[in-house]
Amino acid sequence: MDARSKEWPVRTNRVPVALSTLTVCLSLGLTPVTWAANEADNVQYLRSELDELKKRYVDEVRRLREIDARLIAVQTRLSEAGVAPEGDLEASPQSSPQASTGEDQAEGAVRTAPTADDKRQATRRSVDDFLQQEHVAFDRPLVIEAGFEYSRYDRTQLTLNGFLALDAIFLGNIAVDNVASDTFKYTLAARYGLTPRWNIGISAPFIQRYTTYQKGGAGGSAAAIAEIDQTSDLAIGDTTVNLSYRLFPETVSRPDVVLTGSVIAPTGREPYGIDWRVIETGKDAEGNSFVRFAVPEEQATGNGLWGVGASVSAVKTLDPALLFANFGYTHYISRSFDDLNNDPDTVNPGEVSLGGSWNWGLGLAFALNDRASLSMSFSQQINDKARTKYEGDEWVDLIGSDANSAMFNLGLTYALGKKTTLVTTLGVGLTPDAPDFTLGIRIPYAL
């Protein structure tokens, strides 16, 4: 009795449901089997429609995030350019509760692949470090930099004093002059951002040289060779002060353009009036000197003249690469000196005018990840002839004072920490006037 009394309410509840279902089927002219099949089709259709709506929602959320990231990038560039952006820089769609709920309902499909803006934000640090070195970055208030550069210079000059016989045999004396120099330059520099468009910097190098002079074959003896080594003291070079102005910020169709003006102060040791001493060696049994040549008593570390320069540099982002180029000119102001002669027994005052210096370069850089970037570039510097004018005389061009120096450079920038960066460069000389190679290391620290 108890069991039946417990089951009876259930059976009584099922009878009205079954009767109502049968009544609906009969009223529609459907059998119960046909009605159940239709309902199953409706369930399947609703599920497919729900999945399609979820997929569309995921795509819309992804588009919202991409557009929001692009909006933040544009507003940031406007802020750096000194233009007040409208609206808030924070993202609203991706931080709203509805977007978060929909993203969870879409089973995390938004996180399946990073967008192009996400990748660009990941490599932003390495790009900024590169711009700070090759261009000018205006988003850091103060940067202090310590640098070291080693350059190797080795030149051999062949001097012929005679004539050719039968267009193949040389009759006369052959002298070989060789100068090998190892230069070490230690640089202290600082850059300060005055405004989002103005930046000022100063750089002071300290130079030390190890030079070897060799001469052989002079005096009629090809076996006579003289050599002397000279080491200069560590001394300051010419100091440079730069003032940069961001003319145009980068847009979709326009590169980032920066104008830079510079002033070079002659704080280094000038090369004029340095006494030379004569070296005689390789004497024979009769006391005759086979080799005789002169070397300077000390090494110069600067030009001795004030200089002013102007340059323009441009950087264009072509994801995932950066294209950069620069062009500049430096003019030196003529100056008078008490002595231009290298003879210690003679004093000849006069005036010196260095030729203008043209320089240009272009290159390509890649942001490898958020910490490292790789660059390669070509640079060239062309110097016009220098002139001298002794008291009471006319201006005279110095033969051989013009130069054409071209270099191929490889660089690697690596972020050591949040504020410290390691910059390494390797330059290979392409012309006789350029160093054989240069190796540089710089460590900027951003405050």
Side-chain angles (χ1 to χ4, degrees):
M1 178 65 68
D2 297 335
R4 292 179 180 178
S5 62
K6 293 179 180 179
E7 295 178 359
W8 179 255
V10 177
R11 293 178 181 177
T12 55
N13 291 335
R14 290 177 180 176
V15 171
V17 173
L19 291 176
S20 61
T21 302
L22 180 60
T23 303
V24 172
C25 291
L26 293 176
S27 63
L28 296 175
L30 300 174
T31 63
V33 176
T34 304
W35 179 84
N38 291 338
E39 289 297 319
D41 293 339
N42 291 335
V43 170
Q44 185 66 26
Y45 172 77
L46 291 175
R47 285 181 177 177
S48 61
E49 186 175 2
L50 180 61
D51 293 339
E52 182 66 23
L53 290 176
K54 287 182 178 181
K55 183 178 179 181
R56 292 179 183 177
Y57 181 77
V58 169
D59 294 337
E60 293 298 327
V61 170
R62 184 182 293 110
R63 290 184 58 191
L64 287 174
R65 295 182 63 182
E66 292 178 357
I67 295 174
D68 188 66
R70 291 169 57 188
L71 176 62
I72 293 176
V74 172
Q75 289 178 325
T76 302
R77 288 196 296 266
L78 290 176
S79 178
E80 293 176 354
V83 181
E86 298 181 0
D88 193 0
L89 291 178
E90 296 295 332
S92 55
Q94 66 183 36
S95 60
S96 62
Q98 296 180 355
S100 301
T101 304
E103 192 171 345
D104 295 337
Q105 292 178 355
E107 300 177 353
V110 178
R111 304 186 185 93
T112 55
T115 63
D117 293 296
D118 295 334
K119 296 179 181 179
R120 190 175 298 108
Q121 291 295 331
T123 59
R124 183 65 184 177
R125 169 63 190 275
S126 60
V127 171
D128 289 344
D129 290 337
F130 168 77
L131 292 178
Q132 185 67 37
Q133 299 302 317
E134 301 295 338
H135 196 52
V136 174
F138 294 85
D139 57 347
R140 302 182 184 182
L142 178 62
V143 177
I144 299 176
E145 179 181 287
F148 166 78
E149 183 180 273
Y150 166 72
S151 59
R152 173 70 177 181
Y153 182 93
D154 193 349
R155 290 293 177 269
T156 300
Q157 182 178 0
L158 182 66
T159 303
L160 304 178
N161 185 14
F163 62 93
L164 284 174
L166 302 178
D167 295 333
I169 302 174
F170 179 78
L171 301 178
N173 296 330
I174 300 177
V176 179
D177 296 334
N178 182 56
V179 178
S181 177
D182 297 300
T183 303
F184 299 87
K185 183 168 67 173
Y186 310 89
T187 305
L188 294 177
R191 292 181 293 272
Y192 181 73
L194 301 174
T195 67
R197 282 182 174 264
W198 290 94
N199 188 290
I200 189 172
I202 184 172
S203 176
F206 296 84
I207 301 174
Q208 187 175 23
R209 288 190 178 95
Y210 297 89
T211 308
T212 300
Y213 300 93
Q214 294 178 346
K215 189 169 185 178
S221 174
I225 297 177
E227 179 181 287
I228 184 172
D229 297 328
Q230 187 180 61
T231 302
S232 65
D233 298 331
L234 183 64
I236 189 173
D238 292 342
T239 303
T240 304
V241 178
N242 297 319
L243 182 64
S244 300
Y245 174 71
R246 192 175 195 177
L247 184 61
F248 300 116
E250 183 179 3
T251 62
V252 177
S253 59
R254 184 181 62 200
D256 189 276
V257 180
V258 174
L259 299 178
T260 301
S262 60
V263 176
I264 303 174
T267 55
R269 184 188 300 127
E270 66 266 8
Y272 317 108
I274 296 179
D275 295 336
W276 288 52
R277 58 191 175 99
V278 178
I279 305 298
E280 294 184 356
T281 185
K283 297 182 181 297
D284 57 11
E286 298 178 357
N288 297 321
S289 177
F290 290 114
V291 182
R292 186 175 186 270
F293 63 101
V295 296
E297 290 285 354
E298 56 184 358
Q299 296 286 338
T301 60
N303 293 323
L305 278 70
W306 285 87
V308 291
S311 63
V312 56
S313 59
V315 173
K316 186 69 177 74
T317 303
L318 298 176
D319 197 17
L322 291 174
L323 295 179
F324 59 94
N326 59 79
F327 179 80
Y329 175 76
T330 302
H331 172 74
Y332 293 95
I333 303 173
S334 60
R335 181 183 174 188
S336 299
F337 295 91
D338 296 334
D339 187 14
L340 300 182
N341 203 306
N342 53 25
D343 188 352
D345 299 328
T346 305
V347 176
N348 288 328
E351 191 174 354
V352 176
S353 176
L354 294 180
S357 176
W358 301 86
N359 62 85
W360 68 282
L362 53 88
L364 179 68
F366 291 92
L368 303 178
N369 50 46
D370 61 333
R371 299 175 68 92
S373 63
L374 180 66
S375 64
M376 47 188 166
S377 63
F378 170 82
S379 61
Q380 186 178 18
Q381 180 175 331
I382 301 175
N383 296 330
D384 297 333
K385 285 185 178 181
R387 300 186 302 164
T388 59
K389 177 183 178 182
Y390 292 99
E391 286 188 353
D393 294 338
E394 299 294 333
W395 286 100
V396 177
D397 293 337
L398 293 180
I399 299 176
S401 60
D402 54 337
N404 187 341
S405 175
M407 300 282 294
F408 177 75
N409 308 286
L410 292 175
L412 177 64
T413 303
Y414 183 77
L416 298 176
K418 293 182 178 180
K419 298 182 178 181
T420 308
T421 307
L422 175 64
V423 182
T424 60
T425 56
L426 173 63
V428 180
L430 303 178
T431 59
D433 296 324
D436 295 342
F437 71 92
T438 61
L439 178 63
I441 298 175
R442 292 176 291 175
I443 302 179
Y445 180 78
L447 298 178

